[in-house]
Amino acid sequence: MSATRQRLGAGTIIVLALIAVALVCIVTGVLPSADSGALGARIAPVLGFVIAITIVAELARDAAVFDVVAQRLARWGHGRVILLWLSVVVLAVISTVFLSLDTTAVIVTPVVVVLAQSVGIPPLPFALVTVWLANTASLALPVSNLTNLLAARSIGDDPLAFLALSWAPTLVGVLVPVVILTLRYRRTLFGGYRTPAGGGPSDRVLFWAASGILLLLMPLLAVTHDVWIPATVAALVLMVVFGIRRRHVLRLSLVPWQAIGLAAALFVVVETAHANGILDFLSVLATSGHAPAELLRLSAAGALAANGVNNLPAYLILEPTAGDPVALMALLIGVNLGPLITPWASLATLLWHHRVVSLGVEIRWGSLMLWGAIVAVPTVLVATLVLAFVAG
């Protein structure tokens, strides 16, 4: 059995164990039925969106949308690596903001890595910028990250209320990693490359259908509160088109069963802990103040917890400590911009690692964690101070 299969097997066992624990909590009443019902009503649309947007992204990849975009970026770079680099940054940010961080980590990253390899550029800086931006740019909109979807209703009924607090910290989350990586790999990024020959999609109908649906969907996700509705419609339309043109692509594995099972189980386990007072000791962190020190305490707690366990349970555990929308945004800064250090801090990082290693990119966790800390600390610090300024 290969090492990759062993890791996947271990991951599946952990998820199944968590699901079993969650079921025990529900069936035995350790999680009261009223709390269980309220939790189900809260997370059903969130998980529904995750399923729908994953299907949309996977089918768009199969329609060669991301491949064609990457090829266009390479031609627009005119052989200058720095222009290609900036184009990839823009692609990663747009993908993360509108299609979620997992889309960037799992779908955009391999496209960008293969592109760099094909034009003779070391792929590591491109791989790093996509995974870091997948996390740090995921603060922008509710749809950008599962944690945001959980916080969105508490921050405001209008999606623009979320953006009013998130835009400035998100800008910091984009600029700081990009600047640090640009300086770190300046010798590579200020060189040249051979411009690749143009190529087109194998099925133009699928390509244009998927491209059109994405162009219509992205602005809808930015202004719609119940984002699962347009995402589900887009997924169904794409499935119909693929059912006509390329039916074999439609398979059960399009649904991220393991991620959905993990998320649902974590929701139940953490909610059970809250309902039984196990996490009451965290009340010392509670704040509804907007002073920089208070917001920094909350964002730092979120970043530490995310790197210690994972960003999703970190948010769920600390959510009651955030007393108002500004405090919630500070917590989101910690759990979204902070998990760049440990491999398990973000599921997107683990998925990213599997993809880039399979493409022959060497990743050394020691170096990655060191540079992750160098990026995460100033990013979380400056983003929180910017939030305090904007909210004040």
Side-chain angles (χ1 to χ4, degrees):
M1 180 180 291
S2 68
T4 299
R5 288 184 178 178
Q6 288 178 343
R7 286 196 297 270
L8 290 176
T12 301
I13 291 171
I14 292 172
V15 171
L16 291 175
L18 283 171
I19 291 174
V21 171
L23 289 174
V24 169
C25 292
I26 295 172
V27 172
T28 61
V30 176
L31 177 63
S33 58
D35 293 326
S36 178
L39 178 64
R42 182 188 184 193
I43 68 173
V46 172
L47 296 182
F49 168 78
V50 172
I51 292 172
I53 201 64
T54 301
I55 292 173
V56 169
E58 290 286 353
L59 293 179
R61 172 176 61 177
D62 199 83
V65 173
F66 297 103
D67 292 312
V68 171
V69 169
Q71 291 168 7
R72 294 287 176 86
L73 295 181
R75 292 201 294 274
W76 292 341
H78 300 293
R80 299 175 62 186
V81 179
I82 190 63
L83 294 181
L84 179 61
W85 169 255
L86 294 175
S87 299
V88 167
V89 167
V90 172
L91 174 61
V93 170
I94 292 174
S95 170
T96 300
V97 168
F98 293 102
L99 301 177
S100 86
L101 75 167
D102 290 339
T103 297
T104 302
V106 175
I107 294 177
V108 173
T109 295
V111 172
V112 169
V113 166
V114 170
L115 172 64
Q117 291 171 332
S118 68
V119 298
I121 305 172
L124 184 57
F126 291 86
L128 289 177
V129 80
T130 53
V131 71
W132 283 348
L133 288 178
N135 287 285
T136 61
S138 71
L139 187 69
L141 296 175
V143 298
S144 308
N145 198 319
L146 183 55
T147 54
N148 299 356
L149 285 171
L150 294 171
R153 288 191 179 275
S154 298
I155 289 178
D157 290 331
D158 183 356
L160 295 179
F162 191 99
L163 184 61
L165 289 176
S166 69
W167 72 269
T170 301
L171 189 61
V172 173
V174 171
L175 290 177
V176 172
V178 170
V179 169
I180 291 175
L181 278 174
T182 302
L183 294 174
R184 169 69 177 82
Y185 292 102
R186 58 190 180 277
R187 292 184 179 178
T188 296
L189 299 180
F190 287 93
Y193 66 91
R194 57 181 185 275
T195 304
S202 59
D203 189 321
R204 292 188 175 274
V205 173
L206 287 179
F207 170 77
W208 287 112
S211 299
I213 288 171
L214 285 178
L215 290 174
L216 289 173
L217 179 62
M218 289 193 295
L220 287 176
L221 294 178
V223 299
T224 304
H225 201 290
D226 295 317
V227 291
W228 67 272
I229 297 176
T232 301
V233 171
L236 291 174
V237 172
L238 265 180
M239 289 172 68
V240 169
V241 176
F242 269 82
I244 297 171
R245 305 286 299 186
R246 196 178 291 172
R247 183 175 300 179
H248 69 276
V249 171
L250 301 178
R251 56 196 185 277
L252 287 175
S253 59
L254 285 175
V255 178
W257 298 110
Q258 188 163 312
I260 294 298
L262 175 63
L266 287 172
F267 286 138
V268 172
V269 171
V270 175
E271 185 65 23
T272 301
H274 281 305
N276 289 277
I278 298 173
L279 300 175
D280 287 352
F281 69 95
L282 293 172
S283 61
V284 297
L285 295 173
T287 182
S288 57
H290 299 170
E294 292 179 279
L295 297 180
L296 279 170
R297 183 179 62 187
L298 200 52
S299 65
L304 289 172
N307 283 288
V309 285
N310 178 265
N311 64 336
L312 180 56
Y315 173 80
L316 294 171
I317 290 168
L318 293 170
E319 184 182 47
T321 66
D324 70 353
V326 177
L328 266 176
M329 188 57 65
L331 175 58
L332 289 175
I333 288 173
V335 299
N336 289 8
L337 278 61
L340 305 181
I341 304 172
T342 58
W344 56 82
S346 167
L347 178 61
T349 302
L350 292 174
L351 296 172
W352 164 87
H353 179 261
H354 174 66
R355 294 297 175 97
V356 297
V357 169
S358 68
L359 293 171
V361 180
E362 183 181 0
I363 301 296
R364 297 178 180 176
W365 279 120
S367 176
L368 184 64
M369 292 172 68
L370 174 61
W371 280 100
I374 291 172
V375 172
V377 172
T379 301
V380 171
L381 174 63
V382 177
T384 307
L385 294 177
V386 166
L387 171 65
F389 177 78
V390 171

